[in-house]
Amino acid sequence: MALKKKPESWKTQCVIPLLKLDKPPEDPNSYRPISLSSCIGKLNENMIKMRFEYYVEANNIIPRVQYGFRRGRSCVDSLISLLSYLKYANNNNKSSVCVFLDVQGAFDNIDPGILVQVLSDTGIPGIFCHWLFLFLTDRTLYIRHTNILHDPRKVSYCSYHKPIITTIESTDGECTDEVYNELDGLNDVQ
């Protein structure tokens, strides 16, 4: 991880669009992109992802009420928690409001510079932030369609890290366990 520069082959991908079954070929949304990249780069990325997830969990960087993209948590846990909060509010004559957001393209629109700053502010070690910035920036993407390899383009990229990084970036250090102290033990409400 202490590499000053990532090998270019780790940051290069070839995308091959495959036509989805029974979809019109003239519609760009009819294609599923298949991305081919370095096996060693993927292995390195996966090892870093596993260490990062461990660090984030061991240091309580993500609030305990965040269920998505975490090992050992599921939609059912989130639903049970929500129902417990609603039942608590109802039993105590309090109002409840639920807002559900699905931010389209959230993973694909992360600015690497802002991301690294948020991670650093959250307490993620500088060596990881530096590695991630080098990994996410100056990536090369080739598209091969109908046996034609199109000119390369520079892109930013998140891959395996997308869910956990987006979760941390979206909390931005604002959503801590202290916010939820008042609601402790609500999962036990009958």
Side-chain angles (χ1 to χ4, degrees):
M1 189 156 134
L3 292 174
K4 298 285 185 214
K5 187 172 188 273
K6 303 292 166 256
E8 286 304 312
S9 64
W10 291 10
K11 297 172 63 165
T12 301
Q13 294 178 292
C14 181
V15 175
I16 301 172
L18 294 180
L19 184 63
K20 296 175 185 173
L21 216 53
D22 301 324
K23 299 289 182 176
E26 60 278 354
D27 181 4
N29 294 322
S30 296
Y31 292 86
R32 176 172 289 113
I34 304 299
S35 179
L36 306 175
S37 57
S38 162
C39 290
I40 300 297
K42 282 183 182 179
L43 180 63
N44 177 264
E45 185 179 355
N46 200 33
M47 288 180 353
I48 297 298
K49 173 192 166 265
M50 291 170 59
R51 289 180 182 179
F52 180 60
E53 287 176 346
Y54 173 80
Y55 180 87
V56 165
E57 291 293 340
N59 291 283
N60 297 314
I61 291 178
I62 299 176
R64 63 184 167 82
V65 294
Q66 171 66 39
Y67 296 96
F69 310 112
R70 295 179 78 180
R71 199 175 299 266
R73 298 189 183 204
S74 68
C75 290
V76 173
D77 295 322
S78 180
L79 181 60
I80 289 169
S81 181
L82 172 64
L83 292 174
S84 295
Y85 292 146
L86 293 173
K87 192 164 198 167
Y88 172 82
N90 186 47
N91 290 345
N92 291 286
N93 295 321
K94 296 186 179 211
S95 298
S96 299
V97 175
C98 292
V99 178
F100 300 93
L101 297 175
D102 183 8
V103 181
Q104 185 176 7
F107 294 157
D108 302 322
N109 294 305
I110 295 175
D111 178 281
I114 294 171
L115 169 65
V116 167
Q117 185 60 53
V118 168
L119 292 177
S120 179
D121 293 347
T122 307
I124 303 297
I127 191 167
F128 177 79
C129 292
H130 181 71
W131 181 92
L132 187 64
F133 184 78
L134 290 177
F135 185 77
L136 294 178
T137 55
D138 296 325
R139 299 185 63 85
T140 304
L141 177 75
Y142 292 89
I143 297 175
R144 180 185 300 272
H145 184 59
T146 60
N147 287 329
I148 298 171
L149 187 62
H150 297 273
D151 290 337
R153 57 180 67 171
K154 293 290 185 184
V155 295
S156 292
Y157 174 75
C158 266
S159 182
Y160 291 113
H161 304 299
K162 283 180 177 181
I164 191 89
I165 286 173
T166 303
T167 298
I168 292 172
E169 184 182 49
S170 67
T171 63
D172 196 12
E174 299 295 321
C175 188
T176 61
D177 282 344
E178 288 79 35
V179 174
Y180 301 97
N181 280 343
E182 178 184 327
L183 301 174
D184 271 345
L186 289 185
N187 288 330
D188 300 327
V189 174
Q190 297 296 321

Short mmCIF file of all heavy atoms in Angstrom, two decimals, residues 144-184:
data_model
loop_
_atom_site.label_atom_id
_atom_site.label_comp_id
_atom_site.label_asym_id
_atom_site.label_seq_id
_atom_site.Cartn_x
_atom_site.Cartn_y
_atom_site.Cartn_z
N ARG A 144 -14.68 -1.18 -26.11
CA ARG A 144 -14.60 -2.04 -27.30
C ARG A 144 -16.03 -2.40 -27.68
O ARG A 144 -16.76 -3.03 -26.91
CB ARG A 144 -13.80 -3.31 -27.02
CG ARG A 144 -13.72 -4.22 -28.25
CD ARG A 144 -13.03 -5.53 -27.93
NE ARG A 144 -11.68 -5.35 -27.46
CZ ARG A 144 -10.59 -5.27 -28.24
NH1 ARG A 144 -10.72 -5.35 -29.54
NH2 ARG A 144 -9.40 -5.12 -27.72
N HIS A 145 -16.43 -1.94 -28.86
CA HIS A 145 -17.79 -2.21 -29.34
C HIS A 145 -17.71 -2.62 -30.80
O HIS A 145 -17.03 -1.98 -31.60
CB HIS A 145 -18.67 -0.97 -29.17
CG HIS A 145 -20.09 -1.19 -29.53
ND1 HIS A 145 -20.88 -2.14 -28.92
CD2 HIS A 145 -20.88 -0.59 -30.45
CE1 HIS A 145 -22.08 -2.11 -29.44
NE2 HIS A 145 -22.11 -1.18 -30.37
N THR A 146 -18.38 -3.71 -31.13
CA THR A 146 -18.35 -4.29 -32.48
C THR A 146 -16.91 -4.44 -32.98
O THR A 146 -16.56 -4.02 -34.09
CB THR A 146 -19.20 -3.46 -33.49
OG1 THR A 146 -18.68 -2.14 -33.57
CG2 THR A 146 -20.65 -3.45 -33.11
N ASN A 147 -16.08 -4.99 -32.12
CA ASN A 147 -14.67 -5.26 -32.41
C ASN A 147 -13.85 -4.02 -32.76
O ASN A 147 -12.80 -4.12 -33.41
CB ASN A 147 -14.51 -6.31 -33.52
CG ASN A 147 -14.86 -7.69 -33.00
OD1 ASN A 147 -14.67 -7.98 -31.82
ND2 ASN A 147 -15.40 -8.53 -33.87
N ILE A 148 -14.31 -2.87 -32.35
CA ILE A 148 -13.55 -1.63 -32.54
C ILE A 148 -13.15 -1.12 -31.16
O ILE A 148 -14.01 -0.96 -30.27
CB ILE A 148 -14.39 -0.56 -33.27
CG1 ILE A 148 -14.75 -1.06 -34.67
CG2 ILE A 148 -13.64 0.76 -33.33
CD1 ILE A 148 -15.76 -0.18 -35.39
N LEU A 149 -11.87 -0.89 -30.96
CA LEU A 149 -11.37 -0.34 -29.70
C LEU A 149 -11.33 1.18 -29.84
O LEU A 149 -10.54 1.73 -30.60
CB LEU A 149 -9.98 -0.89 -29.37
CG LEU A 149 -9.42 -0.53 -28.01
CD1 LEU A 149 -10.31 -1.09 -26.90
CD2 LEU A 149 -8.01 -1.07 -27.85
N HIS A 150 -12.21 1.84 -29.12
CA HIS A 150 -12.33 3.30 -29.22
C HIS A 150 -11.23 3.98 -28.41
O HIS A 150 -10.65 3.39 -27.50
CB HIS A 150 -13.71 3.74 -28.75
CG HIS A 150 -14.81 3.19 -29.61
ND1 HIS A 150 -15.24 3.83 -30.75
CD2 HIS A 150 -15.52 2.04 -29.52
CE1 HIS A 150 -16.19 3.10 -31.32
NE2 HIS A 150 -16.39 2.02 -30.59
N ASP A 151 -10.97 5.23 -28.73
CA ASP A 151 -9.92 5.99 -28.06
C ASP A 151 -10.12 5.99 -26.55
O ASP A 151 -11.26 6.03 -26.06
CB ASP A 151 -9.90 7.44 -28.57
CG ASP A 151 -9.39 7.52 -30.00
OD1 ASP A 151 -8.68 6.60 -30.43
OD2 ASP A 151 -9.73 8.51 -30.67
N PRO A 152 -9.02 5.98 -25.79
CA PRO A 152 -9.13 5.96 -24.34
C PRO A 152 -9.66 7.29 -23.80
O PRO A 152 -9.52 8.33 -24.44
CB PRO A 152 -7.70 5.72 -23.87
CG PRO A 152 -6.86 6.26 -24.97
CD PRO A 152 -7.64 6.01 -26.24
N ARG A 153 -10.26 7.23 -22.63
CA ARG A 153 -10.67 8.45 -21.94
C ARG A 153 -10.29 8.31 -20.47
O ARG A 153 -10.23 7.22 -19.93
CB ARG A 153 -12.16 8.73 -22.12
CG ARG A 153 -13.06 7.60 -21.66
CD ARG A 153 -14.51 7.92 -21.87
NE ARG A 153 -14.78 7.98 -23.30
CZ ARG A 153 -15.97 8.07 -23.83
NH1 ARG A 153 -17.00 8.13 -23.07
NH2 ARG A 153 -16.13 8.10 -25.12
N LYS A 154 -10.02 9.45 -19.85
CA LYS A 154 -9.66 9.48 -18.43
C LYS A 154 -10.94 9.57 -17.61
O LYS A 154 -11.85 10.33 -17.93
CB LYS A 154 -8.76 10.68 -18.11
CG LYS A 154 -7.39 10.58 -18.75
CD LYS A 154 -6.58 9.50 -18.10
CE LYS A 154 -5.17 9.47 -18.64
NZ LYS A 154 -4.39 8.39 -18.10
N VAL A 155 -11.03 8.77 -16.54
CA VAL A 155 -12.22 8.73 -15.69
C VAL A 155 -11.81 8.61 -14.22
O VAL A 155 -10.66 8.26 -13.90
CB VAL A 155 -13.13 7.54 -16.06
CG1 VAL A 155 -13.71 7.68 -17.44
CG2 VAL A 155 -12.40 6.22 -15.91
N SER A 156 -12.74 8.87 -13.34
CA SER A 156 -12.59 8.53 -11.92
C SER A 156 -13.39 7.25 -11.70
O SER A 156 -14.32 6.95 -12.43
CB SER A 156 -13.15 9.63 -11.03
OG SER A 156 -12.36 10.77 -11.13
N TYR A 157 -13.06 6.53 -10.66
CA TYR A 157 -13.61 5.19 -10.51
C TYR A 157 -13.61 4.78 -9.05
O TYR A 157 -12.72 5.15 -8.31
CB TYR A 157 -12.73 4.26 -11.33
CG TYR A 157 -13.02 2.80 -11.21
CD1 TYR A 157 -14.12 2.25 -11.83
CD2 TYR A 157 -12.19 1.99 -10.48
CE1 TYR A 157 -14.37 0.90 -11.73
CE2 TYR A 157 -12.44 0.65 -10.38
CZ TYR A 157 -13.53 0.10 -11.02
OH TYR A 157 -13.78 -1.23 -10.92
N CYS A 158 -14.61 4.01 -8.62
CA CYS A 158 -14.66 3.56 -7.23
C CYS A 158 -14.74 2.05 -7.05
O CYS A 158 -14.31 1.54 -6.05
CB CYS A 158 -15.82 4.20 -6.51
SG CYS A 158 -15.39 5.68 -5.64
N SER A 159 -15.35 1.32 -7.95
CA SER A 159 -15.46 -0.13 -7.91
C SER A 159 -15.89 -0.69 -6.57
O SER A 159 -16.90 -0.31 -6.03
CB SER A 159 -14.14 -0.75 -8.35
OG SER A 159 -14.22 -2.15 -8.38
N TYR A 160 -15.10 -1.64 -6.01
CA TYR A 160 -15.46 -2.33 -4.79
C TYR A 160 -15.73 -1.37 -3.63
O TYR A 160 -16.50 -1.66 -2.75
CB TYR A 160 -14.32 -3.25 -4.32
CG TYR A 160 -14.08 -4.45 -5.18
CD1 TYR A 160 -12.92 -4.58 -5.89
CD2 TYR A 160 -15.02 -5.46 -5.24
CE1 TYR A 160 -12.67 -5.69 -6.67
CE2 TYR A 160 -14.79 -6.58 -6.03
CZ TYR A 160 -13.62 -6.69 -6.73
OH TYR A 160 -13.38 -7.79 -7.49
N HIS A 161 -15.02 -0.25 -3.62
CA HIS A 161 -15.12 0.67 -2.50
C HIS A 161 -16.38 1.51 -2.54
O HIS A 161 -16.69 2.19 -1.58
CB HIS A 161 -13.91 1.62 -2.48
CG HIS A 161 -12.60 0.91 -2.43
ND1 HIS A 161 -12.25 0.09 -1.40
CD2 HIS A 161 -11.57 0.91 -3.31
CE1 HIS A 161 -11.04 -0.39 -1.63
NE2 HIS A 161 -10.60 0.08 -2.77
N LYS A 162 -17.10 1.51 -3.65
CA LYS A 162 -18.22 2.42 -3.83
C LYS A 162 -19.18 2.47 -2.65
O LYS A 162 -19.43 3.54 -2.12
CB LYS A 162 -18.99 2.07 -5.10
CG LYS A 162 -18.35 2.53 -6.38
CD LYS A 162 -19.21 2.11 -7.55
CE LYS A 162 -18.65 2.61 -8.85
NZ LYS A 162 -19.49 2.23 -9.97
N PRO A 163 -19.78 1.34 -2.26
CA PRO A 163 -20.81 1.44 -1.21
C PRO A 163 -20.29 1.98 0.11
O PRO A 163 -20.88 2.90 0.68
CB PRO A 163 -21.29 -0.01 -1.06
CG PRO A 163 -20.95 -0.66 -2.34
CD PRO A 163 -19.68 0.00 -2.81
N ILE A 164 -19.20 1.46 0.62
CA ILE A 164 -18.71 1.89 1.94
C ILE A 164 -18.23 3.33 1.90
O ILE A 164 -18.47 4.11 2.82
CB ILE A 164 -17.61 0.93 2.46
CG1 ILE A 164 -17.29 1.20 3.92
CG2 ILE A 164 -16.35 1.00 1.65
CD1 ILE A 164 -18.15 0.43 4.87
N ILE A 165 -17.59 3.72 0.82
CA ILE A 165 -17.09 5.09 0.70
C ILE A 165 -18.25 6.07 0.58
O ILE A 165 -18.25 7.12 1.20
CB ILE A 165 -16.12 5.20 -0.48
CG1 ILE A 165 -14.79 4.55 -0.09
CG2 ILE A 165 -15.90 6.65 -0.87
CD1 ILE A 165 -13.80 4.45 -1.20
N THR A 166 -19.25 5.72 -0.22
CA THR A 166 -20.42 6.60 -0.36
C THR A 166 -21.13 6.74 0.98
O THR A 166 -21.58 7.82 1.33
CB THR A 166 -21.38 6.05 -1.43
OG1 THR A 166 -20.67 5.91 -2.65
CG2 THR A 166 -22.55 6.99 -1.64
N THR A 167 -21.20 5.67 1.75
CA THR A 167 -21.83 5.72 3.06
C THR A 167 -21.09 6.69 3.97
O THR A 167 -21.69 7.53 4.63
CB THR A 167 -21.87 4.31 3.69
OG1 THR A 167 -22.65 3.46 2.86
CG2 THR A 167 -22.45 4.35 5.09
N ILE A 168 -19.77 6.59 4.00
CA ILE A 168 -18.98 7.48 4.86
C ILE A 168 -19.09 8.91 4.37
O ILE A 168 -19.27 9.83 5.16
CB ILE A 168 -17.51 7.02 4.91
CG1 ILE A 168 -17.41 5.70 5.64
CG2 ILE A 168 -16.64 8.08 5.59
CD1 ILE A 168 -16.06 5.06 5.58
N GLU A 169 -19.00 9.10 3.04
CA GLU A 169 -19.07 10.46 2.51
C GLU A 169 -20.44 11.09 2.81
O GLU A 169 -20.53 12.26 3.13
CB GLU A 169 -18.81 10.49 1.01
CG GLU A 169 -18.78 11.92 0.48
CD GLU A 169 -18.56 12.01 -0.99
OE1 GLU A 169 -19.26 11.31 -1.74
OE2 GLU A 169 -17.70 12.79 -1.40
N SER A 170 -21.51 10.30 2.74
CA SER A 170 -22.84 10.86 2.94
C SER A 170 -23.08 11.23 4.40
O SER A 170 -23.83 12.15 4.69
CB SER A 170 -23.92 9.89 2.46
OG SER A 170 -23.94 8.74 3.28
N THR A 171 -22.44 10.54 5.35
CA THR A 171 -22.60 10.92 6.75
C THR A 171 -21.76 12.13 7.07
O THR A 171 -22.11 12.92 7.93
CB THR A 171 -22.23 9.77 7.71
OG1 THR A 171 -20.86 9.45 7.56
CG2 THR A 171 -23.10 8.56 7.48
N ASP A 172 -20.61 12.27 6.39
CA ASP A 172 -19.76 13.45 6.52
C ASP A 172 -19.48 13.82 7.97
O ASP A 172 -19.35 14.97 8.33
CB ASP A 172 -20.38 14.63 5.79
CG ASP A 172 -19.38 15.76 5.55
OD1 ASP A 172 -18.17 15.53 5.73
OD2 ASP A 172 -19.82 16.86 5.18
N GLY A 173 -19.43 12.79 8.84
CA GLY A 173 -19.11 13.04 10.25
C GLY A 173 -20.25 13.67 11.02
O GLY A 173 -20.13 13.91 12.21
N GLU A 174 -21.38 13.96 10.38
CA GLU A 174 -22.48 14.65 11.04
C GLU A 174 -23.40 13.68 11.77
O GLU A 174 -24.10 14.06 12.69
CB GLU A 174 -23.32 15.42 10.01
CG GLU A 174 -22.54 16.49 9.28
CD GLU A 174 -22.07 17.60 10.21
OE1 GLU A 174 -22.84 17.97 11.11
OE2 GLU A 174 -20.94 18.07 10.03
N CYS A 175 -23.46 12.46 11.32
CA CYS A 175 -24.43 11.51 11.84
C CYS A 175 -23.73 10.55 12.79
O CYS A 175 -23.26 9.52 12.40
CB CYS A 175 -25.07 10.76 10.68
SG CYS A 175 -26.43 9.72 11.14
N THR A 176 -23.64 10.92 14.06
CA THR A 176 -22.91 10.11 15.02
C THR A 176 -23.88 9.43 15.97
O THR A 176 -25.06 9.75 16.02
CB THR A 176 -21.94 10.98 15.84
OG1 THR A 176 -22.71 11.96 16.53
CG2 THR A 176 -20.92 11.66 14.94
N ASP A 177 -23.37 8.49 16.75
CA ASP A 177 -24.22 7.77 17.69
C ASP A 177 -24.87 8.70 18.71
O ASP A 177 -25.95 8.41 19.20
CB ASP A 177 -23.41 6.70 18.42
CG ASP A 177 -23.20 5.46 17.56
OD1 ASP A 177 -23.91 5.32 16.55
OD2 ASP A 177 -22.34 4.64 17.90
N GLU A 178 -24.25 9.82 19.04
CA GLU A 178 -24.82 10.73 20.02
C GLU A 178 -26.20 11.21 19.59
O GLU A 178 -27.08 11.46 20.41
CB GLU A 178 -23.92 11.95 20.26
CG GLU A 178 -22.64 11.64 21.03
CD GLU A 178 -21.56 11.01 20.17
OE1 GLU A 178 -21.43 11.35 18.98
OE2 GLU A 178 -20.86 10.12 20.69
N VAL A 179 -26.40 11.35 18.28
CA VAL A 179 -27.69 11.81 17.76
C VAL A 179 -28.79 10.84 18.16
O VAL A 179 -29.94 11.22 18.35
CB VAL A 179 -27.62 11.94 16.22
CG1 VAL A 179 -28.97 12.27 15.63
CG2 VAL A 179 -26.59 12.98 15.83
N TYR A 180 -28.43 9.58 18.32
CA TYR A 180 -29.42 8.55 18.56
C TYR A 180 -29.50 8.09 20.01
O TYR A 180 -30.21 7.16 20.33
CB TYR A 180 -29.15 7.35 17.64
CG TYR A 180 -29.17 7.76 16.20
CD1 TYR A 180 -28.00 8.05 15.53
CD2 TYR A 180 -30.37 7.91 15.53
CE1 TYR A 180 -28.02 8.46 14.20
CE2 TYR A 180 -30.40 8.32 14.21
CZ TYR A 180 -29.23 8.58 13.56
OH TYR A 180 -29.25 8.99 12.25
N ASN A 181 -28.77 8.73 20.93
CA ASN A 181 -28.78 8.30 22.33
C ASN A 181 -30.19 8.26 22.91
O ASN A 181 -30.51 7.38 23.70
CB ASN A 181 -27.88 9.20 23.18
CG ASN A 181 -26.43 8.84 23.06
OD1 ASN A 181 -26.09 7.76 22.59
ND2 ASN A 181 -25.56 9.75 23.45
N GLU A 182 -31.02 9.22 22.54
CA GLU A 182 -32.38 9.29 23.05
C GLU A 182 -33.17 8.04 22.68
O GLU A 182 -34.10 7.65 23.35
CB GLU A 182 -33.08 10.53 22.47
CG GLU A 182 -34.51 10.67 22.90
CD GLU A 182 -35.17 11.86 22.23
OE1 GLU A 182 -34.48 12.86 21.96
OE2 GLU A 182 -36.37 11.76 21.95
N LEU A 183 -32.78 7.41 21.58
CA LEU A 183 -33.53 6.27 21.08
C LEU A 183 -32.93 4.92 21.49
O LEU A 183 -33.34 3.89 20.98
CB LEU A 183 -33.62 6.35 19.56
CG LEU A 183 -34.29 7.63 19.03
CD1 LEU A 183 -34.19 7.65 17.51
CD2 LEU A 183 -35.71 7.74 19.48
N ASP A 184 -31.96 4.94 22.40
CA ASP A 184 -31.32 3.68 22.82
C ASP A 184 -32.35 2.67 23.30
O ASP A 184 -33.29 2.98 24.00
CB ASP A 184 -30.32 3.92 23.95
CG ASP A 184 -28.94 4.24 23.43
OD1 ASP A 184 -28.70 3.99 22.23
OD2 ASP A 184 -28.12 4.75 24.20
#
